[in-house]
Each structure stands twice: as C-alpha cells, then as structure tokens.
C-alpha cells in the first residue's frame, strides 16, 4: 500500500539564482522587507497541491483530474527573504472517499531554515467533463509512522472543525458577541459618530475568462482566481490600514462552482472586521455564464492582514462598524474565525508579529 511519504512532491522557486523569477515575485522594485507577492504564492501553492494530488489519483485513474475544494487556514510565520530560494514540500496527509488533504510546508533553506507557512488543501478527484463529471472513489493510504497517523488525524480534525464553525454560523450569537455588536450599533447612534462604516469599505472588479486561463478541460485555473481575489482584497484593505497591510493569514477559501471559459466574473471585496492591528477582508467571486443564464458564487475567501510600519512592527487599525444584518453576520464570522486562529496560536499577537522579520 502507498504511504504518505511516497506521495512527496517538492517544488523550488530559485529566487537566489533566477533574476527574472525574483522580479516577477516582487511587490516593489526596491529592497523592502516583506516584498513577496503573496497572491502569486497562492497561485504556486494551488498548482503544487494539484500536482501532488494528481500524481496519486492518476496511479489508479489515468483519465481523472483533481479540483480544489477548499484551502484551510494558512498562517504566515515569517516574511519571505527575496534573496533565498523558496521550497514547497508537499505530501498527501489523508485520503477520504474521493477527497485528499494535501499539506504543504513552505520554507527557505539556510541556517536557520526560515519557515514561511504551512498550508492544507482539500482536493477532489473527478472524472468526465461538464455536467457528466463524477467523483471517483479512491483507494486509501497506509498510515504507518506516528507522524503519518498524526497528520491524518489532524486532517480529519480540520474538516470537523470547519463543519462545526459552519453549524455555529446558523446559531444566534453568544451573550458576549451580542453585547459586542450592540456597542458597535450604539456608537453609530451618537450624533458625533465619525467611525468607519464597513458598508463603505469595499472594492469590486469585473473580468472575463479567456482560453489563456484554461486548466482542466474547459475550466479556469483556481490559483489564478484566488490570486486575483487576494490582490483586490489587499487594495480594499488599504482603505482602513493607516500604514502598510501585509498578509497574516488565510482564514479560509472555498471553491463552490467551477469557472468556465467565457464566464464573466464579479469580484467583491469588503473589510468585514478589524481588531488591534488586524484587518479581515472577505472576497467573493460570482460567475455569470456566457449565455447569461447561470449566476453562482464560485469562490469565497477570508484573508487577514496585519498593519505594520517599515520595521514590520504591528500598528493599530481603526475600528470598523457594521450597520445592517449582513454586515453583522460577516463581522461575527470573521471575529470567530480570528479567535479560532489565535487559539491555535496562528495569528500574530503583539509578540509573534514582531518576530515576522526575524531570521
Ligand atoms: P504539520 O502538518 O503539523 O506536521 O506541519 P508541518 O509544517 O511540519 O508540515 C505541513 C505539511 O507539509 C505536512 O502536513 C506535510 O503534508 C507536508 N510536509 C512536511 N514536511 C515535509 C517534507 O519533508 N517533505 C514533504 N514532501 N512534505 C512535507
């Protein structure tokens, strides 16, 4: 039987020796800290996850392909050093009926090794195209070593936690949460209120999908979509960040509906929540089919940024105020998601953010 270690896949970005590649990944043509385009990194991650999953799936089903279903949280541990190579070490952690969890450790070798992030992708194996596509049933992996068993167990736990979080969204807020929202509404009733209204902190964009972006037959490469969603989110975020917002975490990305060539895409990004130096931006992508008969939410993403100064020290961000029911719900969802991340020590608190730049 196949073990997780047999599914290992590594991709290297040779930033130290390939100047054109280094330039492609830079935000600015200057030597600033945190100069890596995180959106492009997401694109690479999605491709690495796809290749790792496909290698396994094609051993049994040569014609099958894989699609990204979700990206669980990604905590960014350190900023990337643009003069060092980036290694993506990927491996399958768990195989379910037709889904696979791929874990990817992103690091920069050297002394010491710089750990950039650990990411978890849920991929689904499919066969056939269009409406006739079906999920394929995959043979399982053998988890022999302790670490393999632990990673497989953690994959199941992540899935369970997400389900629980979703179920919680349909529940009324707790007493503390209700009080938090009541205070935010009461502040807006004050005649001298000058706060930032969440409803006004948005950015949108439209785009048509061309054959250039084709990945699996007739579908659009998911990595491209999330890169675009991230880049618009970072622009949106600048409406509230007094300094420079840099990515701190991906709370969650869901892929609901595939995007096809000829589709029109409507990206909507909104600042939904702030807390201390953190800013949460939600990005949704709606697809409209070429014949304009189908409209569906294809992706939803929640990104957390941290507002930092030139030395990467976290700086405070103003409070944002939700006004209507939808904004309250989004505020609360982001609040809970950030709490879950900080409970797992995955969000920069005052101390860990200061370590972002540390070698
Ligand atoms: P963990 O998931 O809690 O063990 O966190 P890590 O940061 O150690 O690793 C993240 C993911 O990257 C793991 O779940 C593995 O799927 C994958 N991974 C970790 N180390 C390696 C490695 O040495 N080689 C390969 N190919 N993949 C790795």
């Amino acid at each position: 039987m196949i073990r997780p270690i047999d599914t290992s896949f590594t991709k290297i970005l040779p930033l130290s020796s390939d100047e054109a590649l280094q330039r492609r990944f830079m935000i600015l043509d200057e030597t600033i800290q945190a100069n890596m385009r995180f959106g492009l990194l997401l694109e690479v991650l999605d491709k690495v996850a796809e290749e790792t999953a496909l290698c396994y799936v094609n051993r049994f089903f040569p014609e099958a392909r894989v699609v990204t279903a979700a990206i669980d949280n990604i905590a960014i541990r350190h900023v990337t050093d643009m003069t060092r190579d980036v290694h993506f070490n990927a491996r399958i952690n768990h195989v379910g009926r037709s889904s696979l969890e791929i874990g990817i450790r992103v690091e920069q070798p050297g002394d010491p090794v710089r750990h950039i992030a650990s990411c978890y992708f849920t991929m689904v194996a499919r066969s056939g195209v269009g409406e006739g596509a079906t999920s394929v049933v995959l043979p399982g992996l053998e988890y022999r070593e302790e670490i393999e068993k632990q990673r497989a167990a953690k994959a199941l736990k992540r899935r369970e936690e997400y389900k629980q979080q979703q179920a919680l969204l349909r529940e009324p807020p707790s007493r503390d949460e209700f009080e938090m929202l009541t205070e935010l509404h009461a502040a807006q009733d004050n005649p001298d209120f000058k706060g930032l209204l969440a409803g006004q902190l948005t950015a949108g964009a439209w785009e048509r999908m061309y054959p250039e972006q084709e990945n699996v037959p007739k579908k659009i490469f998911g990595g491209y979509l999330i890169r675009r969603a991230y880049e618009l989110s970072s622009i949106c975020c600048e409406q509230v960040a007094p300094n420079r917002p840099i990515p701190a975490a991906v709370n969650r990305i869901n892929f609901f509906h595939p995007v096809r060539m000829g589709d029109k895409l409507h990206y909507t990004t909104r600042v939904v929540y702030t807390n201390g130096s953190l800013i949460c931006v939600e990005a949704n992508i709606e697809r409209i089919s070429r014949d304009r008969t189908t409209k569906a939410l294809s992706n939803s993403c929640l990104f957390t940024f941290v507002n930092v100064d030139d030395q990467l020290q976290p700086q405070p961000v103003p409070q944002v105020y939700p006004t209507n029911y939808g904004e309250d719900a989004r505020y609360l969802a982001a609040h809970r998601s950030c709490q879950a991340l900080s409970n797992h020590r995955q969000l920069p608190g005052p101390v860990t953010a200061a370590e972002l730049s540390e070698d």
Side-chain angles (χ1 to χ4, degrees):
M1 265 182 98
I2 301 168
R3 291 175 47 200
I5 191 167
D6 306 321
T7 68
S8 301
F9 175 84
T10 295
K11 176 170 173 79
I12 297 172
L13 284 185
L15 296 183
S16 68
S17 56
D18 185 340
E19 219 174 292
L21 186 82
Q22 188 195 56
R23 191 181 162 82
R24 179 162 180 256
F25 279 83
M26 289 191 321
I27 298 172
L28 287 181
D29 192 7
E30 293 168 23
T31 40
I32 55 159
Q33 291 216 62
N35 203 12
M36 169 59 93
R37 283 175 61 184
F38 183 67
L40 265 188
L41 208 67
L42 283 176
E43 209 175 296
V44 176
L45 283 167
D46 193 49
K47 200 78 206 160
V48 168
E50 185 192 325
E51 282 185 43
T52 311
L54 202 57
C55 239
Y56 183 74
V57 170
N58 284 354
R59 286 182 193 221
F60 314 101
F61 304 96
E63 304 296 319
R65 57 206 161 66
V66 295
V67 293
T68 312
I71 306 175
D72 208 72
N73 63 69
I74 305 177
I76 297 149
R77 303 283 173 197
H78 289 97
V79 297
T80 310
D81 177 348
M82 296 305 284
T83 65
R84 280 157 70 175
D85 293 352
V86 185
H87 287 211
F88 300 82
N89 293 318
R91 185 170 287 177
I92 301 177
N93 288 334
H94 182 261
V95 176
R97 216 179 76 92
S98 63
S99 74
L100 312 96
E101 190 199 84
I102 317 294
I104 309 173
R105 193 177 161 90
V106 188
E107 53 187 27
Q108 296 193 286
D111 191 16
V113 171
R114 193 187 271 210
H115 179 198
I116 308 294
S118 297
C119 322
Y120 304 95
F121 281 67
T122 303
M123 314 296 288
V124 177
R126 311 271 292 160
S127 99
V129 283
E131 301 303 317
T134 49
S135 297
V136 300
V137 181
L138 296 168
L141 283 177
E142 184 191 353
Y143 313 100
R144 208 184 299 160
E145 299 280 326
E146 201 43 45
I147 179 99
E148 293 175 336
K149 288 182 186 156
Q150 278 173 14
R151 284 187 176 141
K154 281 202 269 183
L156 290 173
K157 195 161 161 244
R158 272 187 282 274
R159 198 157 81 181
E160 217 29 64
E161 275 184 0
Y162 180 68
K163 273 195 206 151
Q164 279 172 12
Q165 279 174 21
Q166 288 306 97
L168 203 62
L169 289 180
R170 290 186 287 275
E171 297 288 319
S174 70
R175 196 186 171 86
D176 284 351
E177 290 170 339
F178 181 74
E179 279 173 9
M180 173 182 76
L181 292 172
T182 307
E183 268 178 38
L184 293 169
H185 283 269
Q188 297 172 59
D189 293 336
N190 186 325
D192 296 327
F193 175 76
K194 292 204 175 53
L196 291 174
L197 294 176
Q200 291 173 359
L201 304 167
T202 62
W206 286 90
E207 184 178 22
R208 199 186 293 279
M209 291 292 108
Y210 300 108
E212 189 190 348
Q213 278 103 28
E214 186 179 11
N215 197 30
V216 281
K218 306 281 177 223
K219 296 229 187 79
I220 297 298
F221 172 44
Y224 173 80
L225 304 176
I226 54 178
R227 166 164 78 78
R228 295 275 308 178
Y230 170 79
E231 287 173 351
L232 190 63
S233 297
S234 85
I235 289 171
C236 180
C237 188
E238 288 181 3
Q239 297 176 89
V240 4
N243 308 79
R244 178 178 171 211
I246 63 169
V250 172
N251 300 56
R252 178 80 183 183
I253 296 179
N254 288 315
F255 290 75
F256 299 115
H257 283 274
V259 168
R260 296 176 192 283
M261 281 184 285
D263 282 0
K264 276 197 300 273
L265 296 187
H266 188 198
Y267 297 79
T268 313
T269 61
R270 352 169 126 89
V271 175
V272 292
Y273 174 75
T274 56
N275 186 0
S277 55
L278 300 178
I279 305 162
C280 286
V281 181
E282 187 188 88
N284 288 324
I285 311 178
E286 189 182 53
R287 73 168 277 256
I288 299 158
S289 63
R290 200 163 83 88
D291 59 10
R292 297 175 222 162
T293 58
T294 322
K295 225 180 186 192
L297 183 67
S298 82
N299 285 75
S300 79
C301 320
L302 187 63
F303 299 109
T304 301
F305 294 83
V306 54
N307 176 50
V308 296
D309 64 15
D310 292 345
Q311 279 72 48
L312 300 187
Q313 294 302 312
Q315 301 296 318
V317 171
Q319 173 71 51
V320 299
Y321 293 85
T323 303
N324 59 34
Y325 180 78
E327 288 162 15
D328 281 358
R330 286 191 278 265
Y331 188 95
L332 200 52
H335 172 73
R336 287 174 178 167
S337 172
C338 283
Q339 274 193 326
L341 284 183
S342 39
N343 288 346
H344 288 137
R345 296 186 43 76
Q346 298 209 318
L347 270 188
V351 185
T352 45
E355 292 163 358
L356 273 173
S357 60
E358 191 191 275
D359 275 0

